[in-house]
Amino acid sequence: MKTPKLTVVIPCLNEEPILEETGRILLEKVKKMEEAGSILRESSLLFIDDHSSDRTWEIITSLSQKDSRIHGISLGKQSGQQTALYAGLMWARETCDICISMDCDGQDDPEAMEQMVEAWRQGSQIVYGVRKNRKQDPLWKRFSAERYYDLLAVLGADVIKNHGDFRLMSREALDELSNYQESALFLRGIIPLMGFEESCVYYERKPRLGGKTSYTPGKMIRLALDGITGSAVRPLRLFTVMGAGIFFGSLIAVCLAAFRCLQGEAVSGWFLMACILCLLGGLQLAGIGLAGEYLGRIYLEIKGRPRYRIAKETENRKDRDF
């Protein structure tokens, strides 16, 4: 198998405090892999600025001027981490043989990239970077993340547990990914559906290099909803089954109450009835809200608007819509 040209894709949002250090670490790793002959010397780093409000783009530009291996693109508006990552993948597929996507915070272990490339040599078109454990996470985040992956599995979504966006993809896999046109992207759920030969590389998650994460609880909840509604329709079916079960249970209760009335017995339990009505009302509202989430995504999809706009590039800067 030929020596591949690698592009490392790194989405960024307000990463001014750690961007230079991240660039230095990744560039050193790419150079070592080049010297070892595992990748071509034309390999590169690609930083995607998701319309940051700090000096992120200025730093990317400065890094690219210091080393020709470093490139950068800046989106015209803030589009979200998944869209920024997708933009980088689509930009990289024009020139690379393989690409590795990873976070900018330094928590994804660069040393695992060599194992990923080796797995690609052995035939894997997609290689997932999977965390060995969650020792670095606070207890609440560890618990919520594990239950979230369990919930996705129950709902029928095909996801890799404890895998984020640290992965290798071949050029063929990137070409296939370009055919997926969802507006609400959830790459962790889309990529396993493509049917390529895949494998996993396990690594220890590192502490963040510095600064504060831009992934707020609100964004995490939004991503979780995208994962549930974008990867499975089983939640809608679940509410249908619950509704049918409550209907038949209520029908049996009504029949029993009617039978007792015919026997001359007094039927009491207004408090219980009020609780049942509140339960049914809450269930109906939850079902309507869930259906609204799906309907909202359908509404966004049929608009067919571009998902992002590349406003600036470190080389041959121009506007491009996708």
Side-chain angles (χ1 to χ4, degrees), residues 16-31:
E16 178 183 347
I18 60 174
L19 188 53
E20 290 186 357
E21 180 66 7
T22 298
R24 182 190 64 79
I25 292 172
L26 294 179
L27 188 58
E28 286 181 0
K29 185 60 184 177
V30 168
K31 288 179 179 178

Side-chain angles (χ1 to χ4, degrees), residues 95-281:
T95 56
C96 74
D97 298 312
I98 57 175
C99 80
I100 295 178
S101 59
M102 60 196 310
D103 293 337
C104 187
D105 55 17
Q107 293 189 282
D108 295 329
D109 187 6
E111 297 302 320
M113 294 198 298
E114 291 187 66
Q115 297 174 263
M116 290 179 165
V117 174
E118 182 58 31
W120 172 79
R121 291 184 187 280
Q122 295 175 6
S124 296
Q125 298 293 309
I126 301 172
V127 185
Y128 302 104
V130 181
R131 301 172 61 161
K132 291 182 180 178
N133 54 63
R134 289 185 170 271
K135 293 187 296 184
Q136 298 291 341
D137 290 344
L139 181 61
W140 69 269
K141 187 174 182 180
R142 188 186 317 164
F143 176 81
S144 61
E146 290 176 351
R147 300 293 78 76
Y148 173 63
Y149 281 109
D150 292 340
L151 176 62
L152 285 177
V154 169
L155 295 178
D158 188 7
V159 295
I160 308 297
K161 189 172 183 178
N162 290 328
H163 163 67
D165 289 304
F166 186 28
R167 70 178 72 87
L168 177 148
M169 298 182 69
S170 68
R171 174 67 179 273
E172 293 78 10
L174 291 173
D175 288 340
E176 179 62 23
L177 180 61
S178 69
N179 295 324
Y180 287 73
Q181 299 298 318
E182 287 94 332
S183 294
L185 288 168
F186 184 67
L187 296 175
R188 302 174 200 182
I190 293 174
I191 291 173
L193 297 176
M194 298 194 301
F196 285 95
E197 187 72 24
E198 57 188 33
S199 60
C200 295
V201 166
Y202 296 89
Y203 70 100
E204 292 282 354
R205 184 86 162 168
K206 296 182 176 182
R208 184 178 172 85
L209 287 176
K212 295 181 179 180
T213 179
S214 58
Y215 235 72
T216 62
K219 291 181 179 179
M220 294 174 64
I221 293 172
R222 183 79 266 167
L223 180 65
L225 287 175
D226 286 342
I228 293 171
T229 58
S231 304
V233 296
R234 193 171 291 178
L236 291 175
R237 294 172 182 164
L238 179 61
F239 268 90
T240 301
V241 172
M242 291 173 62
I246 291 174
F247 170 77
F248 285 111
S250 301
L251 183 62
I252 293 172
V254 169
C255 291
L256 290 175
F259 179 74
R260 290 177 62 186
C261 286
L262 292 174
Q263 289 184 326
E265 298 181 21
V267 179
S268 60
W270 290 108
F271 177 76
L272 178 61
M273 184 65 69
C275 291
I276 293 174
L277 288 175
C278 290
L279 173 65
L280 289 175

Side-chain angles (χ1 to χ4, degrees), residues 52-118:
S52 299
S53 58
D54 62 4
R55 295 181 58 254
T56 293
W57 177 247
E58 295 177 33
I59 296 173
I60 293 173
T61 303
S62 175
L63 291 173
S64 70
Q65 292 171 348
K66 293 176 182 177
D67 196 297
S68 60
R69 294 180 182 85
I70 298 178
H71 307 283
I73 58 177
S74 179
L75 304 188
K77 69 179 185 67
Q78 195 171 121
S79 303
Q81 188 261 359
Q82 292 288 284
T83 299
L85 175 55
Y86 182 86
L89 295 175
M90 293 300 101
W91 193 94
R93 81 183 180 101
E94 299 176 3
T95 56
C96 74
D97 298 312
I98 57 175
C99 80
I100 295 178
S101 59
M102 60 196 310
D103 293 337
C104 187
D105 55 17
Q107 293 189 282
D108 295 329
D109 187 6
E111 297 302 320
M113 294 198 298
E114 291 187 66
Q115 297 174 263
M116 290 179 165
V117 174
E118 182 58 31

Side-chain angles (χ1 to χ4, degrees), residues 28-43:
E28 286 181 0
K29 185 60 184 177
V30 168
K31 288 179 179 178
K32 288 180 181 179
M33 293 174 70
E34 290 175 349
E35 292 169 358
S38 59
I39 59 175
L40 290 176
R41 292 191 177 274
E42 292 81 8
S43 298

